[in-house]
Amino acid sequence: MEGMITLSVIKADVGGFVGHSAMHSDLLEEAKGRLGGARSSGMIVDFHVTACGDDLELIMTHHRGVDNNEIHQLAWDVFVACTEAATRLKLYGAGQDLLADAFSGNVKGMGPGVAEMEFVERKSEPIIIFMADKTSAGAWNLPLYKMFADPFNTAGLIIAPSLHAGFRFEVHDVKREKRIFFDAPEELYDLLVFIGAAGRYIIKAVYAKDGEIGSVSSTQRLALIAGKYVGKDDPVCAVRCQGKFPAVGEVLEPFTMPHIVEGWMRGSHYGPLLPVPVSQATPSRFDGPPRVIAVGFQLADGRLVGPRDMFDDPGFDEARRSANALADVMRRHGPFEPHRLPMDEMEYTTLPQVMEKLQDRWEKLPE
Ligand code: F6R
Ligand code: MG
Ligand code: MG
């Protein structure tokens, strides 16, 4: 639409280096080359390619709106080309998130994670893109709640006339494929009934009360698409900041509390979400701990001026320390809940295959 810009963040794990820990530079170069071509041809306005752990993150701006076939095709082609590069290097899990053999119009439901929003670029448009590894869609519920609804986090909800009316949350039930909208602060308690169960009820978007979009996140759950464990959803979330939206510092503040998320080791354990600079987005300990990066840009007519590595700040050192302390406590539980996911969540892991073998050995209790 005229005067609108679209921000598309599309990501996939198409091969890890080493194991599931990080991204090989050949894949980053391949992706940059291809998106560079798309920028030269005018298909996209600008792009930034980065990685969080084993996830390749394509950040693009363009004028084609959300759910656009050509943009999704472009992302798919990048992932396929990077899968080929990963296959040549025998990287780990090459092409693991590409659940379909061929592209069919929209990457949604085909494996990659997608967060897109279309808006009129303001006079100044600061944006932060959060990307996480070793966790799953739903990991943003608590931070988004704090950013847009908690006055203990976001001072602007009280102080700033532009934020005082609150925000509207779009929540998806990813199991039933339904959605619901809640107004905050009016319906805070209703909102919390659902988003506290972050494995199922996921905040898809947040809007100002005038309808303008402030945040969007990926809600793909690979296990629900494939019906079995095929890797993790490792979600992304984009947030517009300042003015009528929370300030940059209010948007980052929730990550000073390393909240517990699911997705550590084999997608089967809970662990604290560790905020790290991009250079440390390389989970190693017990394939983790789960981590998040925050990359900031100023948009200038769609141009992504940046990035700024927002967690590369000693202000997050204490969060990192307490995340590591928490990680130690969780790890000492070994295979016990609540480090390990509860049984109904383990349904989507490889554990049922092990349990099946033991099925016939269960005997009736003596009378
Ligand atoms: C992958 C992940 C890892 C793997 C684990 C086993 O994102 O979280 O913890 O689940 O390394 O991987 P496979 O089964 O591929 O050997
Ligand atoms: Mg992987
Ligand atoms: Mg990953």
Side-chain angles (χ1 to χ4, degrees), residues 9 36 49 52 75 92 115 126 147 152 165 208 214 220 250 278 281 294 307 313 327-328 339 347:
V9 187
V49 172
C52 185
Y92 199 70
M147 283 174 218
F152 281 73
Q220 283 71 23
E250 290 166 337
V278 176
D313 176 353
D328 278 340
H339 184 28
E347 194 188 312

PDB file of all heavy atoms in Angstrom, residues 9 36 49 52 75 92 115 126 147 152 165 208 214 220 250 278 281 294 307 313 327-328 339 347:
ATOM      1  N   VAL A   9      10.556 -10.476   8.991  1.00  0.00           N
ATOM      2  CA  VAL A   9      11.638 -11.254   9.599  1.00  0.00           C
ATOM      3  C   VAL A   9      11.271 -12.716   9.387  1.00  0.00           C
ATOM      4  O   VAL A   9      10.233 -13.181   9.864  1.00  0.00           O
ATOM      5  CB  VAL A   9      11.793 -10.944  11.109  1.00  0.00           C
ATOM      6  CG1 VAL A   9      13.036 -11.642  11.665  1.00  0.00           C
ATOM      7  CG2 VAL A   9      11.867  -9.446  11.361  1.00  0.00           C
ATOM      8  N   GLY A  36      21.248  -9.324  -1.360  1.00  0.00           N
ATOM      9  CA  GLY A  36      21.866  -8.179  -2.039  1.00  0.00           C
ATOM     10  C   GLY A  36      21.342  -8.068  -3.465  1.00  0.00           C
ATOM     11  O   GLY A  36      21.035  -6.976  -3.947  1.00  0.00           O
ATOM     12  N   VAL A  49      21.214  -9.663   7.471  1.00  0.00           N
ATOM     13  CA  VAL A  49      21.262 -11.100   7.723  1.00  0.00           C
ATOM     14  C   VAL A  49      22.065 -11.325   8.990  1.00  0.00           C
ATOM     15  O   VAL A  49      23.141 -10.751   9.153  1.00  0.00           O
ATOM     16  CB  VAL A  49      21.943 -11.842   6.549  1.00  0.00           C
ATOM     17  CG1 VAL A  49      22.169 -13.311   6.895  1.00  0.00           C
ATOM     18  CG2 VAL A  49      21.115 -11.722   5.280  1.00  0.00           C
ATOM     19  N   CYS A  52      21.137 -16.442  15.112  1.00  0.00           N
ATOM     20  CA  CYS A  52      21.076 -16.675  16.551  1.00  0.00           C
ATOM     21  C   CYS A  52      21.217 -18.182  16.711  1.00  0.00           C
ATOM     22  O   CYS A  52      20.335 -18.937  16.280  1.00  0.00           O
ATOM     23  CB  CYS A  52      19.764 -16.171  17.145  1.00  0.00           C
ATOM     24  SG  CYS A  52      19.764 -16.329  18.956  1.00  0.00           S
ATOM     25  N   ALA A  75      12.698 -15.700   0.427  1.00  0.00           N
ATOM     26  CA  ALA A  75      13.230 -16.285   1.670  1.00  0.00           C
ATOM     27  C   ALA A  75      13.426 -17.789   1.501  1.00  0.00           C
ATOM     28  O   ALA A  75      14.460 -18.345   1.884  1.00  0.00           O
ATOM     29  CB  ALA A  75      12.283 -15.983   2.829  1.00  0.00           C
ATOM     30  N   TYR A  92      25.478 -29.714  10.395  1.00  0.00           N
ATOM     31  CA  TYR A  92      24.552 -30.576  11.123  1.00  0.00           C
ATOM     32  C   TYR A  92      23.084 -30.180  10.893  1.00  0.00           C
ATOM     33  O   TYR A  92      22.712 -29.031  11.078  1.00  0.00           O
ATOM     34  CB  TYR A  92      24.869 -30.585  12.626  1.00  0.00           C
ATOM     35  CG  TYR A  92      24.230 -31.780  13.235  1.00  0.00           C
ATOM     36  CD1 TYR A  92      24.719 -33.044  12.936  1.00  0.00           C
ATOM     37  CD2 TYR A  92      23.089 -31.661  13.995  1.00  0.00           C
ATOM     38  CE1 TYR A  92      24.095 -34.170  13.410  1.00  0.00           C
ATOM     39  CE2 TYR A  92      22.461 -32.784  14.486  1.00  0.00           C
ATOM     40  CZ  TYR A  92      22.959 -34.040  14.183  1.00  0.00           C
ATOM     41  OH  TYR A  92      22.328 -35.159  14.639  1.00  0.00           O
ATOM     42  N   ALA A 115       7.626 -13.331  11.118  1.00  0.00           N
ATOM     43  CA  ALA A 115       7.009 -12.198  11.827  1.00  0.00           C
ATOM     44  C   ALA A 115       7.058 -11.005  10.869  1.00  0.00           C
ATOM     45  O   ALA A 115       8.139 -10.581  10.466  1.00  0.00           O
ATOM     46  CB  ALA A 115       7.768 -11.892  13.110  1.00  0.00           C
ATOM     47  N   PRO A 126      12.469   3.855  15.462  1.00  0.00           N
ATOM     48  CA  PRO A 126      13.382   2.881  16.072  1.00  0.00           C
ATOM     49  C   PRO A 126      12.694   1.516  16.230  1.00  0.00           C
ATOM     50  O   PRO A 126      11.560   1.451  16.707  1.00  0.00           O
ATOM     51  CB  PRO A 126      13.683   3.480  17.458  1.00  0.00           C
ATOM     52  CG  PRO A 126      12.912   4.773  17.529  1.00  0.00           C
ATOM     53  CD  PRO A 126      11.900   4.781  16.447  1.00  0.00           C
ATOM     54  N   MET A 147       6.504  -5.265  28.602  1.00  0.00           N
ATOM     55  CA  MET A 147       6.720  -4.059  27.775  1.00  0.00           C
ATOM     56  C   MET A 147       5.448  -3.235  27.612  1.00  0.00           C
ATOM     57  O   MET A 147       5.469  -2.018  27.743  1.00  0.00           O
ATOM     58  CB  MET A 147       7.127  -4.460  26.336  1.00  0.00           C
ATOM     59  CG  MET A 147       8.517  -4.907  26.145  1.00  0.00           C
ATOM     60  SD  MET A 147       8.656  -5.484  24.402  1.00  0.00           S
ATOM     61  CE  MET A 147       9.740  -6.869  24.643  1.00  0.00           C
ATOM     62  N   PHE A 152       5.252  -1.484  36.150  1.00  0.00           N
ATOM     63  CA  PHE A 152       6.508  -1.628  36.892  1.00  0.00           C
ATOM     64  C   PHE A 152       7.688  -1.765  35.933  1.00  0.00           C
ATOM     65  O   PHE A 152       8.832  -1.538  36.309  1.00  0.00           O
ATOM     66  CB  PHE A 152       6.448  -2.846  37.837  1.00  0.00           C
ATOM     67  CG  PHE A 152       5.685  -2.554  39.098  1.00  0.00           C
ATOM     68  CD1 PHE A 152       4.307  -2.431  39.085  1.00  0.00           C
ATOM     69  CD2 PHE A 152       6.347  -2.369  40.302  1.00  0.00           C
ATOM     70  CE1 PHE A 152       3.600  -2.148  40.236  1.00  0.00           C
ATOM     71  CE2 PHE A 152       5.654  -2.075  41.459  1.00  0.00           C
ATOM     72  CZ  PHE A 152       4.273  -1.960  41.433  1.00  0.00           C
ATOM     73  N   ALA A 165      -3.253   5.114  27.499  1.00  0.00           N
ATOM     74  CA  ALA A 165      -4.481   4.376  27.152  1.00  0.00           C
ATOM     75  C   ALA A 165      -4.256   2.874  27.118  1.00  0.00           C
ATOM     76  O   ALA A 165      -5.205   2.085  27.116  1.00  0.00           O
ATOM     77  CB  ALA A 165      -5.004   4.850  25.801  1.00  0.00           C
ATOM     78  N   ALA A 208      -1.404  -0.373  19.302  1.00  0.00           N
ATOM     79  CA  ALA A 208      -1.844   0.801  20.054  1.00  0.00           C
ATOM     80  C   ALA A 208      -3.376   0.819  20.002  1.00  0.00           C
ATOM     81  O   ALA A 208      -3.981   0.164  19.146  1.00  0.00           O
ATOM     82  CB  ALA A 208      -1.258   2.058  19.433  1.00  0.00           C
ATOM     83  N   GLY A 214       2.343  -2.371  16.935  1.00  0.00           N
ATOM     84  CA  GLY A 214       3.560  -2.043  17.659  1.00  0.00           C
ATOM     85  C   GLY A 214       4.531  -3.197  17.718  1.00  0.00           C
ATOM     86  O   GLY A 214       5.736  -2.992  17.861  1.00  0.00           O
ATOM     87  N   GLN A 220       4.939 -19.930  14.819  1.00  0.00           N
ATOM     88  CA  GLN A 220       5.011 -21.282  14.257  1.00  0.00           C
ATOM     89  C   GLN A 220       5.472 -22.275  15.317  1.00  0.00           C
ATOM     90  O   GLN A 220       6.418 -22.010  16.042  1.00  0.00           O
ATOM     91  CB  GLN A 220       6.015 -21.336  13.084  1.00  0.00           C
ATOM     92  CG  GLN A 220       5.510 -20.753  11.797  1.00  0.00           C
ATOM     93  CD  GLN A 220       5.375 -19.246  11.809  1.00  0.00           C
ATOM     94  OE1 GLN A 220       6.015 -18.566  12.593  1.00  0.00           O
ATOM     95  NE2 GLN A 220       4.538 -18.727  10.949  1.00  0.00           N
ATOM     96  N   GLU A 250      12.555   0.603  27.771  1.00  0.00           N
ATOM     97  CA  GLU A 250      11.404  -0.133  28.332  1.00  0.00           C
ATOM     98  C   GLU A 250      11.194  -1.445  27.584  1.00  0.00           C
ATOM     99  O   GLU A 250      10.737  -2.441  28.156  1.00  0.00           O
ATOM    100  CB  GLU A 250      10.150   0.752  28.260  1.00  0.00           C
ATOM    101  CG  GLU A 250      10.216   1.940  29.230  1.00  0.00           C
ATOM    102  CD  GLU A 250       9.168   3.019  28.963  1.00  0.00           C
ATOM    103  OE1 GLU A 250       8.657   3.129  27.822  1.00  0.00           O
ATOM    104  OE2 GLU A 250       8.862   3.783  29.898  1.00  0.00           O
ATOM    105  N   VAL A 278      25.311 -10.374  19.986  1.00  0.00           N
ATOM    106  CA  VAL A 278      25.231 -11.251  18.812  1.00  0.00           C
ATOM    107  C   VAL A 278      26.430 -12.211  18.761  1.00  0.00           C
ATOM    108  O   VAL A 278      26.284 -13.386  18.419  1.00  0.00           O
ATOM    109  CB  VAL A 278      25.142 -10.402  17.521  1.00  0.00           C
ATOM    110  CG1 VAL A 278      25.166 -11.286  16.279  1.00  0.00           C
ATOM    111  CG2 VAL A 278      23.879  -9.540  17.554  1.00  0.00           C
ATOM    112  N   ALA A 281      25.803 -15.427  20.601  1.00  0.00           N
ATOM    113  CA  ALA A 281      24.569 -16.185  20.307  1.00  0.00           C
ATOM    114  C   ALA A 281      24.949 -17.566  19.793  1.00  0.00           C
ATOM    115  O   ALA A 281      24.549 -17.985  18.701  1.00  0.00           O
ATOM    116  CB  ALA A 281      23.724 -15.429  19.294  1.00  0.00           C
ATOM    117  N   ALA A 294      19.153  -9.018  20.676  1.00  0.00           N
ATOM    118  CA  ALA A 294      18.295  -7.879  20.328  1.00  0.00           C
ATOM    119  C   ALA A 294      19.084  -6.983  19.381  1.00  0.00           C
ATOM    120  O   ALA A 294      20.166  -6.515  19.730  1.00  0.00           O
ATOM    121  CB  ALA A 294      17.922  -7.100  21.586  1.00  0.00           C
ATOM    122  N   PRO A 307      23.008  -2.483  12.147  1.00  0.00           N
ATOM    123  CA  PRO A 307      22.356  -2.755  13.426  1.00  0.00           C
ATOM    124  C   PRO A 307      23.138  -2.219  14.625  1.00  0.00           C
ATOM    125  O   PRO A 307      24.327  -1.967  14.531  1.00  0.00           O
ATOM    126  CB  PRO A 307      22.367  -4.277  13.465  1.00  0.00           C
ATOM    127  CG  PRO A 307      23.628  -4.659  12.747  1.00  0.00           C
ATOM    128  CD  PRO A 307      23.822  -3.619  11.674  1.00  0.00           C
ATOM    129  N   ASP A 313      25.838  -4.713  26.440  1.00  0.00           N
ATOM    130  CA  ASP A 313      25.788  -3.624  27.409  1.00  0.00           C
ATOM    131  C   ASP A 313      25.989  -4.238  28.794  1.00  0.00           C
ATOM    132  O   ASP A 313      25.283  -5.192  29.153  1.00  0.00           O
ATOM    133  CB  ASP A 313      24.399  -2.972  27.313  1.00  0.00           C
ATOM    134  CG  ASP A 313      24.206  -1.874  28.352  1.00  0.00           C
ATOM    135  OD1 ASP A 313      25.074  -1.694  29.233  1.00  0.00           O
ATOM    136  OD2 ASP A 313      23.154  -1.211  28.313  1.00  0.00           O
ATOM    137  N   ALA A 327      20.550 -21.514  35.702  1.00  0.00           N
ATOM    138  CA  ALA A 327      20.850 -22.652  34.820  1.00  0.00           C
ATOM    139  C   ALA A 327      21.497 -23.778  35.635  1.00  0.00           C
ATOM    140  O   ALA A 327      21.181 -24.954  35.433  1.00  0.00           O
ATOM    141  CB  ALA A 327      21.770 -22.213  33.685  1.00  0.00           C
ATOM    142  N   ASP A 328      22.367 -23.405  36.568  1.00  0.00           N
ATOM    143  CA  ASP A 328      23.004 -24.420  37.418  1.00  0.00           C
ATOM    144  C   ASP A 328      21.965 -25.175  38.238  1.00  0.00           C
ATOM    145  O   ASP A 328      22.003 -26.398  38.334  1.00  0.00           O
ATOM    146  CB  ASP A 328      24.006 -23.763  38.380  1.00  0.00           C
ATOM    147  CG  ASP A 328      25.347 -23.494  37.705  1.00  0.00           C
ATOM    148  OD1 ASP A 328      25.625 -24.129  36.666  1.00  0.00           O
ATOM    149  OD2 ASP A 328      26.094 -22.642  38.213  1.00  0.00           O
ATOM    150  N   HIS A 339      12.888 -29.474  35.409  1.00  0.00           N
ATOM    151  CA  HIS A 339      13.883 -29.159  34.379  1.00  0.00           C
ATOM    152  C   HIS A 339      13.410 -29.789  33.074  1.00  0.00           C
ATOM    153  O   HIS A 339      13.270 -29.112  32.061  1.00  0.00           O
ATOM    154  CB  HIS A 339      15.249 -29.690  34.808  1.00  0.00           C
ATOM    155  CG  HIS A 339      16.372 -29.338  33.869  1.00  0.00           C
ATOM    156  ND1 HIS A 339      16.372 -28.209  33.073  1.00  0.00           N
ATOM    157  CD2 HIS A 339      17.550 -29.975  33.597  1.00  0.00           C
ATOM    158  CE1 HIS A 339      17.497 -28.174  32.364  1.00  0.00           C
ATOM    159  NE2 HIS A 339      18.210 -29.226  32.661  1.00  0.00           N
ATOM    160  N   GLU A 347       5.423 -35.362  24.575  1.00  0.00           N
ATOM    161  CA  GLU A 347       4.752 -36.063  23.492  1.00  0.00           C
ATOM    162  C   GLU A 347       5.399 -35.739  22.137  1.00  0.00           C
ATOM    163  O   GLU A 347       5.437 -36.556  21.232  1.00  0.00           O
ATOM    164  CB  GLU A 347       3.302 -35.562  23.504  1.00  0.00           C
ATOM    165  CG  GLU A 347       2.308 -36.342  22.709  1.00  0.00           C
ATOM    166  CD  GLU A 347       0.991 -35.563  22.693  1.00  0.00           C
ATOM    167  OE1 GLU A 347       0.534 -35.109  23.779  1.00  0.00           O
ATOM    168  OE2 GLU A 347       0.452 -35.405  21.608  1.00  0.00           O
TER     169      GLU A 347
END
